Amino acid sequence: MRLSLISSLLLFSSVDALASSMDVASAVLKDHSGAAIGLFNNMRTPAALIAGSLVPLGILGAPTVQKDDSKTIKFMKKTNVVLGVTSLLSEVIAVTYSSIAINKLAEVESPLTKGCAELIAQHYELAWIGTNIHFLLGLMGFGLIVGSK
């Protein structure tokens, strides 16, 4: 009798603990797609601005190669144009990655997660890495072009 009373108390306490832990878990899990959209937008907007400034700075304003330039100067002028085009393409890829992720976040119902980082890590990791890497590569190229002027 005493053993069954103790086991009943343990069973009820474990059921109560399980129910309360399920309440806590469901309270923590929520839709973080809005925050993820904000993070992708935080990368997309600067990438678009840098891409827009690379066109006149790195491509249209690139130095022209003259016949009397030395080999080194010709190489540096050609490198400046290639760097401008490469940086522009990198920023366009960053904008594309983030735009695709934003559209998917807006169109498809996102699973419930504990946080925005978990949502991105589980479902949008490639887009996040691609956006960040291409943004930073384009930013470095932009810095090199500005520094060469």
Side-chain angles (χ1 to χ4, degrees):
M1 170 91 176
R2 193 169 219 179
L3 184 62
S4 67
L5 180 63
I6 292 173
S7 64
S8 297
L9 288 174
L10 288 174
L11 178 65
F12 285 125
S13 66
S14 63
V15 168
D16 287 340
L18 179 64
S20 66
S21 69
M22 288 175 67
D23 290 341
V24 170
S26 66
V28 172
L29 295 178
K30 55 184 188 171
D31 184 17
H32 292 281
S33 60
I37 287 172
L39 286 174
F40 278 107
N41 262 330
N42 286 343
M43 299 302 291
R44 183 171 69 164
T45 304
L49 292 173
I50 290 172
S53 66
L54 278 166
V55 172
L57 185 64
I59 298 170
L60 299 177
T64 56
V65 178
Q66 305 295 329
K67 289 183 180 181
D68 58 339
D69 288 341
S70 67
K71 285 185 177 183
T72 306
I73 297 296
K74 285 182 183 179
F75 175 75
M76 294 302 282
K77 287 180 177 181
K78 290 178 183 178
T79 303
N80 194 313
V81 173
V82 171
L83 185 61
V85 171
T86 306
S87 298
L88 175 65
L89 290 176
S90 193
E91 294 296 341
V92 167
I93 291 170
V95 170
T96 304
Y97 264 124
S98 61
S99 296
I100 291 170
I102 288 169
N103 287 340
K104 187 175 178 185
L105 281 162
E107 294 170 358
V108 178
E109 186 176 337
S110 297
L112 302 179
T113 56
K114 293 179 184 174
C116 183
E118 182 181 345
L119 175 66
I120 291 174
Q122 288 180 356
H123 302 284
Y124 298 95
E125 187 172 23
L126 179 63
W128 184 249
I129 291 171
T131 299
N132 282 289
I133 287 176
H134 282 286
F135 173 73
L136 291 173
L137 288 174
L139 185 63
M140 284 188 270
F142 176 74
L144 287 171
I145 289 173
V146 170
S148 72
K149 298 289 178 185

